[in-house]
């Protein structure tokens, strides 16, 4: 019968579907390959140092003793600092861009600009951080140190690069993610809720704080976690402004390091067990960001499904 | 009012970065930048021709790997497995992959290319950038294909086309402009990636001689020259930063323009 396709064209069809399927699954395979490959390379260091690697504070390529606590500490502190600065502003921007404060003609370019903020290469932020941000922040930091120096986190005088500069730059870099995802979550709040609140006599701010924000909270938290994942893995800007010193001090004005900065600084010149130790550090970073990202993805998804 | 202040606070750093990069970078902008090699310390003039070429080379290698990979995967997700558990799972992996720190992807590329071949190379850098670009391409291409109206497919199948003919002859051309936009954005972002190149492509003071040699890139040049005390090299870093920002800016504006036209 003529409407039946020839064997070749059916074969081409089947082959094509298979081929595309293989590449689709390939995306998952790449993710698995990263974990396996880095894990395998890290194995010698894992055997040698075990979990002591996480709490060890010595990083000594000459003696081949490696511990990454100063870097892990720096990663956590800079990320938390960045979130403290960026979350209120990011959620504020999202509210501003979702609650019809502005006519769309002005709103759309602002959304575009915030997106652009996310697209500027990290190394450019680093360059700007060195030549612009550090000179601006140093006197501010000095003033804080002089007036509030009795508080441990302000206990040293800033000397240019430092943990707080890294936190500041990270805050700028993760702000667009928080703003964009929070905005999605806010826009997804059903209009009936809003109308209901207004109908009961709530003011605009009462509606926002007691109805809209609580409804959108899981999406917003998801966005914040995605931003946290980004902040933990961010490398160039941080490496350029944090000072790269291998120690743990309580003061945010001191110089420090992060896991990603350690990798950026040492990988190219490393050899032997040091490579393996760096791979171990990369694996820890990968694991941490993976957990944060998967939780974030699940939270953001739960919002999308409700819509 | 407070929301307005938040928006202003968010946009100040953007303008501060953009304006500063434009002012500092424009001072050195000129044809020499693209035809000359970086100068040694304390020598005047020079450019970053080798780094520009290196960036193009590595982004090209990355595009060659990740565009076919990403578009084929997207075809499966949008055409053959839409709304299935499998596409859901792959979608999830794509999102997770896009959250993997770029430095970790650099470590991955180092261990599969540099350790195997025994040399830092443009290929190693290209592989790292390809992995970084992949999620963006898969996501934008899937969205582009999904937004092609179902009637197109029905009409094509009604005329007797096979599924392969439908996808290759009707759906892909219809989605092409949106796919190209996504690819452009991915390419512009990859060009600015630095972390994974520091220890895969390394750097090179001379013109690229082959894809298996250490290779310079604009992004690594910015990093190297930002931390030296020499004025001329710092200016080159700013000019390179300007070129990278312009790439992103132009790609974003073109993307905006294409999506608005549709």
């Amino acid at each position: 019968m003529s409407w039946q396709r020839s064997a070749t064209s059916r074969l081409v069809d089947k082959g094509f579907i298979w081929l595309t399927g293989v590449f689709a699954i390939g995306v998952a395979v790449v993710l698995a390959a990263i974990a396996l490959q880095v894990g395998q390379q890290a194995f010698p260091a894992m055997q040698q140092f075990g979990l002591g690697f996480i709490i060890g504070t010595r990083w000594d390529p000459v003696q081949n003793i490696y511990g990454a606590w100063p870097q892990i500490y720096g990663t956590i502190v800079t990320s938390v600092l960045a979130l403290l600065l960026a979350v209120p502003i990011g959620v504020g921007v999202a509210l501003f861009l979702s609650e019809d404060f502005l006519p769309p003609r002005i709103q759309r370019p602002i959304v575009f600009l915030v997106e652009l903020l996310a697209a500027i290469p990290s190394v450019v932020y680093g360059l700007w951080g060195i030549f612009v941000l550090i000179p601006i922040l140093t006197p501010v930091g000095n003033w804080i140190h002089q007036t509030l120096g009795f508080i441990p986190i302000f206990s040293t005088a800033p000397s240019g690069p430092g943990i707080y500069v890294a936190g500041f730059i990270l805050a700028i870099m993760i702000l667009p993610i928080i703003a964009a995802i929070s905005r999605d979550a806010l826009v997804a709040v059903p209009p009936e809720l809003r109308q209901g609140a207004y109908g009961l006599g709530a003011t605009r701010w009462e509606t926002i704080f007691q109805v809209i924000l609580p409804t959108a909270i899981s999406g917003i938290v998801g966005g914040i976690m995605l931003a946290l994942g980004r902040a933990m893995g961010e490398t160039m800007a941080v490496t350029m402004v944090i000072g790269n010193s291998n120690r743990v001090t309580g003061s945010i004005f001191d110089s420090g390091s992060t896991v990603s900065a350690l990798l950026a600084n040492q990988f190219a010149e490393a050899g032997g067990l040091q490579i393996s130790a760096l791979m171990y550090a990369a694996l820890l970073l990968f694991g941490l960001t993976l957990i944060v990202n998967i939780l974030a993805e699940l939270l953001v998804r739960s919002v999308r499904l409700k819509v | 009012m407070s929301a307005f202040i938040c928006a202003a606070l968010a946009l100040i750093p953007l303008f501060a970065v953009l304006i500063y990069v434009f002012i500092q970078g424009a001072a050195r902008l000129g044809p020499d930048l693209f035809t000359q090699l970086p100068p040694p310390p304390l020598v005047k003039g020079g450019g970053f021709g080798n780094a520009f070429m290196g960036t193009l080379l590595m982004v090209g290698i990355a595009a060659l790997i990740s565009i076919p990979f990403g578009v084929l995967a997207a075809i499966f997700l949008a055409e053959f497995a839409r709304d299935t558990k499998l596409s859901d799972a792959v979608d999830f992996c794509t999102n997770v992959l896009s959250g993997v720190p770029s430095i970790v992807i650099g470590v991955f590329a180092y261990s599969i290319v540099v350790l195997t071949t025994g040399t830092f190379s443009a290929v190693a850098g290209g592989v790292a950038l390809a992995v970084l670009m992949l999620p963006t391409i898969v996501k934008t291409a899937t969205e582009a294909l999904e937004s092609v109206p179902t009637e197109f497919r029905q009409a094509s199948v009604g005329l007797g086309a096979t599924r392969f003919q439908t996808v290759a002859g009707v759906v892909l051309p219809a989605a092409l402009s949106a796919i190209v936009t996504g690819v452009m954005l991915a390419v512009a972002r990859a060009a600015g990636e630095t972390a994974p190149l520091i220890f895969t492509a390394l750097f090179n003071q001379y013109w690229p001689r082959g894809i298996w040699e250490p290779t310079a890139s604009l992004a690594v040049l910015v990093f190297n020259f930002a931390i030296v005390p020499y004025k001329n090299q710092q200016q080159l870093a700013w000019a390179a930063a300007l070129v990278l920002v312009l790439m992103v800016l132009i790609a974003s504006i073109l993307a905006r323009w294409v999506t608005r036209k549709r």
Side-chain angles (χ1 to χ4, degrees):
Chain A
M1 279 182 283
S2 66
W3 53 267
Q4 263 186 337
R5 300 223 164 92
S6 71
T8 20
S9 88
R10 257 183 305 168
L11 208 66
V12 168
D13 241 29
K14 258 220 177 98
F16 183 61
I17 296 176
W18 264 96
L19 180 76
T20 58
V22 165
F23 278 100
I25 293 167
V27 178
V29 172
V30 169
L31 190 62
I34 296 174
L36 285 177
Q37 190 68 31
V38 178
Q40 194 199 347
Q41 298 292 334
F43 194 66
M46 290 163 85
Q47 255 181 335
Q48 180 115 12
F49 305 112
L51 289 175
F53 184 76
I54 299 172
I55 47 169
T57 54
R58 264 180 82 186
W59 187 275
D60 190 346
V62 182
Q63 311 266 339
N64 259 335
I65 297 172
Y66 301 103
W69 173 243
Q71 284 77 21
I72 295 170
Y73 169 83
T75 304
I76 296 169
V77 172
T78 49
S79 308
V80 169
L81 213 57
L83 284 186
L84 285 179
L85 289 167
V87 166
I89 300 177
V91 175
V93 172
L95 273 175
F96 181 59
L97 294 178
S98 66
E99 295 298 312
D100 306 326
F101 283 109
L102 285 177
R105 208 154 41 88
I106 306 174
Q107 187 175 327
R108 230 177 277 134
I110 294 185
V111 173
F112 173 69
L113 284 174
V114 173
E115 276 169 25
L116 196 62
L117 202 60
I120 293 179
S122 155
V123 73
V124 175
Y125 278 111
L127 186 67
W128 180 77
I130 292 176
F131 290 100
V132 183
L133 197 59
I134 289 179
I136 294 175
L137 284 183
T138 305
V140 178
N142 259 318
W143 182 81
I144 294 175
H145 166 65
Q146 269 153 22
T147 36
L148 297 169
F150 56 90
I151 303 172
I153 57 166
F154 303 130
S155 60
T156 56
S159 62
I163 291 172
Y164 76 119
V165 188
F168 217 91
I169 286 233
L170 282 177
I172 297 174
M173 297 180 71
I174 62 175
L175 207 139
I177 305 168
I178 297 178
I181 295 176
S182 303
R183 182 171 176 268
D184 285 347
L186 289 170
V187 170
V189 173
E192 291 82 6
L193 280 179
R194 209 161 305 198
Q195 287 155 6
Y198 285 134
L200 288 171
T203 64
R204 178 182 235 172
W205 288 107
E206 281 167 357
T207 311
I208 287 176
F209 279 109
Q210 288 169 17
V211 178
I212 297 174
L213 277 181
T215 316
I217 195 73
S218 66
I220 294 176
V221 172
I224 292 171
M225 293 194 66
L226 274 181
L228 175 65
R230 196 61 54 90
M232 291 195 306
E234 181 46 57
T235 310
M236 297 322 298
V238 172
T239 308
M240 290 161 87
V241 300
I242 200 167
N244 300 303
S245 74
N246 180 26
R247 56 167 185 233
V248 179
T249 52
S251 171
I252 57 166
F253 293 140
D254 237 323
S255 58
S257 183
T258 65
V259 175
S260 51
L262 174 78
L263 292 167
N265 281 321
Q266 299 205 348
F267 219 105
E269 281 123 35
L273 190 62
Q274 191 184 359
I275 294 254
S276 188
L278 288 168
M279 294 268 188
Y280 192 0
L283 191 68
L284 288 176
L285 180 66
F286 181 54
L288 267 177
T289 51
L290 207 62
I291 293 168
V292 170
N293 278 320
I294 288 175
L295 285 176
E297 179 64 17
L298 293 174
L299 276 171
V300 174
R301 265 184 180 221
S302 69
V303 178
R304 215 176 303 146
L305 292 181
K306 263 190 280 172
V307 180
Chain B
M1 193 56 213
S2 52
F4 189 79
I5 294 169
C6 278
L9 272 177
L11 291 176
I12 288 170
L14 174 71
F15 287 112
V17 173
L18 283 182
I19 291 169
Y20 211 80
V21 168
F22 271 90
I23 293 173
Q24 292 284 327
R28 276 299 295 272
L29 216 55
D32 280 1
L33 282 183
F34 301 95
T35 57
Q36 296 190 358
L37 291 173
L42 299 175
V43 175
K44 283 196 190 322
F48 44 60
N50 61 337
F52 188 70
M53 291 282 292
T55 291
L56 291 186
L57 178 66
M58 284 190 279
V59 170
I61 293 172
L64 276 182
I65 301 170
S66 70
I67 293 172
F69 195 141
V71 172
L72 283 171
I75 289 174
F76 185 76
L77 297 179
E79 302 296 316
F80 305 133
R82 202 187 285 196
D83 298 327
T84 61
K85 279 234 168 72
L86 179 62
S87 82
D88 232 31
V90 173
D91 192 45
F92 188 83
C93 288
T94 313
N95 284 334
V96 173
L97 187 62
S98 73
V100 176
S102 62
I103 188 115
V104 172
I105 290 173
V107 171
F108 170 65
Y110 176 91
S111 77
I112 61 167
V113 185
V114 178
L115 282 184
T116 328
T117 60
T119 169
F120 299 103
S121 64
V123 174
V127 167
L129 295 184
V131 177
L132 277 164
M133 283 165 67
L134 186 62
T136 317
I137 294 181
V138 172
K139 260 191 270 184
T140 51
T142 307
E143 265 173 40
L145 291 167
E146 279 179 348
S147 69
V148 175
T150 323
E151 288 81 6
F152 279 37
R153 298 182 186 91
Q154 287 166 347
S156 163
V157 173
L159 287 170
T162 63
R163 297 183 84 170
F164 172 65
Q165 287 166 335
T166 305
V167 170
V170 179
V171 182
L172 262 187
L176 194 64
S177 70
I179 294 178
V180 170
T181 311
V183 167
M184 232 160 47
L185 280 177
V187 163
R189 284 193 181 195
E193 276 294 346
T194 319
L197 296 183
I198 297 177
F199 46 78
T200 52
L202 214 64
F203 198 74
N204 190 335
Q205 300 297 332
Y206 309 101
W207 294 99
R209 271 172 305 183
I211 57 172
W212 296 106
E213 299 275 327
T215 306
S217 57
L218 286 177
V220 175
L221 180 128
V222 174
F223 177 55
N224 289 345
F225 283 1
I227 47 185
V228 297
Y230 310 109
K231 195 88 199 140
N232 187 29
Q233 296 192 340
Q234 286 177 7
Q235 281 179 348
L236 277 178
W238 282 107
L242 177 60
V243 172
L244 290 176
V245 168
L246 280 178
M247 278 174 160
V248 172
L249 205 62
I250 292 168
S252 306
I253 290 170
L254 279 178
R256 234 341 78 145
W257 183 66
V258 169
T259 39
R260 168 123 6 133
K261 229 175 38 169
R262 276 150 51 85

